[in-house]
Amino acid sequence: MSTSGVRVRIAPSPTGEPHVGTAYIALFNYLFAKKHGGTFILRIEDTDATRSTPEFEEKVLEALKWCGLEWSEGPDVGGPYGPYRQSDRKSMYWPYAQDLLDKGHAFRCFCTPERLEKMREDQRANGKPPGYDGHCLNLKAEEVSARVAAGEPSVVRMKIPTEGSCDFRDGVYGDVSIPWESVDMQVLIKADGMPTYHMANVIDDHLMKITHVARGEEWLASVPKHILLYRYFGWDEPVFMHLSLMRNADKSKLSKRKNPTSISYYSALGYLPEALMNFLGLFFIQIAEGEEMLSMDELAEKFDPENLSKAGAIFDIQKLDWLNGRWLREKLSPEEFIGRILTWASENDRLIEGLKLAQSRITKLGELPNLAGFLLAGDVGIKPESFASLKTTPAETLEILQTVAADLEKMLEWNVETIEAELRAVAERTGKKLKFVTPPLFIAMSGSSRSLPLFDSMALLGRSVVRQRLKVAAAAAAQLVGSN
Ligand code: GLU
């Protein structure tokens, strides 16, 4: 419980596989709360109804729990300022929008998507910065009421000062000054009545009494909008801290095209949550060489939010591997080690379900490791030759792997039925029979053409492992194309 009044939150949007970047920001907030005797809160930001799903929300909660980052208030545990899921708070936001409209801090905008698209096109063509042009800014009150009464769709936008700049202090970036002319007249309430991220985020942070907002640097440019909303409402603003993004070794933004970024990938491969937290926590502290192995309590003790770097946190997998190996070898008793293996192997029921699937294809129990081992393996040893004896040509194999990889990203739900439907759709779209589409996938998933049923295996492996295996397989298939 809070002894200091410090209240921090992680506010993920459940629109995809939980990302290690979310764990990184969550860990910062968790350690911040721990260090200050404060409260760590989880809030689900699902105002984007088309991309948010209950499955992803469940995965976010599961992934953060696996990391050991427990929250004291959240959608699953409740708390004094709930509900903690924005879609459940929908009715709370409108009075605040009305208040802004009444005070003249916001206005109704009736511009159609077509007009906005045309406006953007013109701005692009004239080399002007994108942003709303103020078309509806000065409509007469009577006209607005009449159009609203007639049922014409509209959004609510915030007014932005036309001169000067928004000056604020960021806990990481120091003094920041952003000219108002670069800030867009942000939509606060969408045509369907849902608030946008900016509106819901500020209102919720205020109502949930958040004292410090620590999040990724991609939000730094939004701070003027947020500060302006706090001022319009007459509320105190929280302290802002924008953490540098995690990057690939080549300094590019960490993305799943280069590195696996899902927390579930790391848990599926047998990284210990302690090692992952240790690895991420090192970005928030100053230590000498040889002191890298730290538990959560030790991280909290050494946690140093005053001295964060803006340089970007490099996601160095070799360092993570090194730490993970040390955790496995040095920090666990043999009994604990075995316990961890059993828990890990049973994750998502993959062991039990995999054994059940194996039963229909087995002649001797000794075949089990070869038949089902791929469900647990980190790497299934794919080489270009792995695809050499297929009926599909190397170019077709590559096309199948790439098409399926792209399609799987669009799936909202991940289970045997949705996977089967998706692969059938791929077969139909590409004019190939399903029996040509599946063999390259069998090999990509298991390293062998003799393994367990494909759709079930993909469901058990999980989206993030499947993504990585398809990527490795496509790289191998591309080599085969190149050598032909
Ligand atoms: N929902 C936002 C995200 O997922 C939260 C940003 C914030 O912490 O304000 O990045």
Side-chain angles (χ1 to χ4, degrees):
M1 263 291 102
S2 175
T3 50
S4 65
V6 164
R7 291 174 59 83
V8 290
R9 85 303 192 270
I10 180 78
S13 298
T15 55
E17 286 278 312
H19 196 279
V20 282
T22 302
Y24 164 75
I25 304 288
L27 175 64
F28 181 92
N29 281 291
Y30 179 85
L31 293 173
F32 194 91
K34 222 168 151 63
K35 176 114 187 167
H36 293 97
T39 306
F40 173 59
I41 294 150
L42 172 75
R43 180 173 73 230
I44 292 290
E45 299 207 327
D46 57 351
T47 52
D48 183 348
T50 51
R51 293 170 59 226
S52 303
T53 72
E55 181 184 325
F56 285 138
E57 175 182 321
E58 200 184 305
K59 292 216 148 130
V60 174
L61 267 65
E62 219 175 73
L64 292 176
K65 274 188 200 148
W66 177 81
C67 290
L69 302 172
E70 267 188 50
W71 45 93
S72 325
E73 297 169 28
D76 54 339
V77 290
Y81 305 101
Y84 291 86
R85 182 186 295 111
Q86 289 184 329
S87 57
D88 294 339
R89 301 170 68 80
K90 189 179 167 188
S91 61
M92 297 169 68
Y93 303 110
W94 179 252
Y96 293 98
Q98 187 64 58
D99 181 43
L100 294 180
L101 286 169
D102 293 345
K103 290 184 183 145
H105 294 315
F107 61 99
R108 293 256 191 190
C109 168
F110 298 92
C111 291
T112 60
E114 294 73 31
R115 176 178 184 274
L116 294 173
E117 190 38 49
K118 169 89 182 45
M119 175 194 82
R120 283 184 211 112
E121 254 169 44
D122 292 348
Q123 286 168 339
R124 269 194 298 269
N126 297 320
K128 289 216 187 108
Y132 184 62
D133 60 3
H135 188 74
C136 295
L137 183 58
N138 297 312
L139 295 180
K140 293 247 168 357
E142 304 80 65
E143 180 184 345
V144 171
S145 320
R147 290 170 78 168
V148 170
E152 192 176 335
S154 65
V155 302
V156 176
R157 288 183 187 271
M158 70 189 293
K159 290 190 186 167
I160 304 287
T162 46
E163 282 172 7
S165 55
C166 178
D167 301 327
F168 61 94
R169 197 173 170 72
D170 182 84
V172 182
Y173 282 77
D175 291 326
V176 181
S177 175
I178 299 181
W180 285 117
E181 63 177 14
S182 70
V183 180
D184 196 13
M185 291 176 233
Q186 176 66 48
V187 173
L188 300 176
I189 303 282
K190 297 181 261 190
D192 64 1
M194 264 310 235
T196 55
Y197 152 74
H198 302 278
M199 179 75 167
N201 185 272
V202 164
I203 293 175
D204 287 349
D205 279 345
H206 172 73
L207 294 179
M208 295 179 181
K209 299 199 165 32
I210 299 301
T211 55
H212 297 73
V213 166
R215 60 187 168 193
E217 70 183 352
E218 72 270 32
W219 299 107
L220 187 66
S222 297
V223 172
K225 292 173 188 171
H226 298 179
I227 288 188
L228 196 54
L229 284 173
Y230 282 103
R231 290 187 194 154
Y232 284 166
F233 289 126
W235 297 337
D236 289 338
E237 55 205 58
V239 174
F240 291 105
M241 284 175 279
H242 288 84
L243 308 181
S244 56
L245 288 182
M246 278 205 291
R247 303 195 176 275
N248 297 304
D250 64 5
K251 300 271 168 75
S252 58
K253 184 178 157 198
L254 189 66
S255 77
K256 58 190 171 205
R257 273 183 299 281
K258 297 218 168 114
N259 270 320
T261 53
S262 300
I263 299 170
S264 60
Y265 175 83
Y266 293 94
S267 65
L269 257 64
Y271 287 87
L272 295 183
E274 290 93 332
L276 184 61
M277 292 303 103
N278 187 165
F279 171 70
L280 296 175
L282 293 180
F283 296 122
F284 309 136
I285 61 179
Q286 317 273 335
I287 41 146
E289 230 183 281
E291 294 176 1
E292 291 90 351
M293 292 277 286
L294 296 167
S295 67
M296 197 68 103
D297 286 340
E298 290 163 334
L299 284 173
E301 231 166 78
K302 294 192 179 341
F303 181 66
D304 187 4
E306 305 300 321
N307 279 307
L308 294 176
S309 126
K310 282 179 269 187
I314 303 291
F315 197 85
D316 175 353
I317 301 232
Q318 278 168 358
K319 184 163 181 190
L320 173 59
D321 281 353
W322 173 77
L323 274 173
N324 198 59
R326 288 196 56 191
W327 268 94
L328 283 170
R329 295 187 303 266
E330 298 170 24
K331 294 275 192 178
L332 303 180
S333 68
E335 293 70 29
E336 282 167 343
F337 176 63
I338 291 163
R340 290 297 185 102
I341 294 173
L342 296 177
T343 314
W344 162 76
S346 314
E347 225 173 62
N348 301 329
D349 281 340
R350 60 184 172 171
L351 185 61
I352 295 297
E353 293 304 317
L355 292 179
K356 284 188 201 157
L357 292 174
Q359 194 182 2
S360 64
R361 309 213 161 173
I362 203 155
T363 26
K364 293 185 284 299
L365 293 181
E367 290 170 356
L368 262 180
N370 280 343
L371 203 53
F374 75 97
L375 289 174
L376 299 179
D379 172 358
V380 292
I382 297 285
K383 297 184 200 61
E385 310 82 81
S386 311
F387 298 106
S389 52
L390 287 173
K391 290 215 173 71
T392 41
T393 65
E396 283 173 324
T397 300
L398 180 60
E399 190 201 336
I400 290 169
L401 294 169
Q402 287 173 335
T403 311
V404 169
D407 261 53
L408 296 185
E409 296 302 334
K410 296 183 211 130
M411 289 174 61
L412 285 181
E413 279 180 59
W414 189 260
N415 56 50
V416 182
E417 290 76 31
T418 55
I419 292 167
E420 172 165 2
E422 198 64 36
L423 295 184
R424 285 189 186 280
V426 168
E428 199 154 305
R429 221 177 50 233
T430 54
K432 293 187 173 66
K433 290 220 164 68
L434 190 63
K435 67 172 198 264
F436 284 101
V437 171
T438 51
L441 299 171
F442 254 104
I443 294 176
M445 293 305 117
S446 66
S448 149
S449 49
R450 186 171 171 263
S451 67
L452 305 183
L454 180 66
F455 310 138
D456 301 81
S457 302
M458 288 172 74
L460 286 179
L461 285 169
R463 197 193 291 256
S464 57
V465 174
V466 168
R467 176 186 298 124
Q468 178 67 6
R469 289 201 184 164
L470 286 172
K471 194 166 94 181
V472 170
Q479 279 188 42
L480 195 62
V481 174
S483 65
N484 262 26

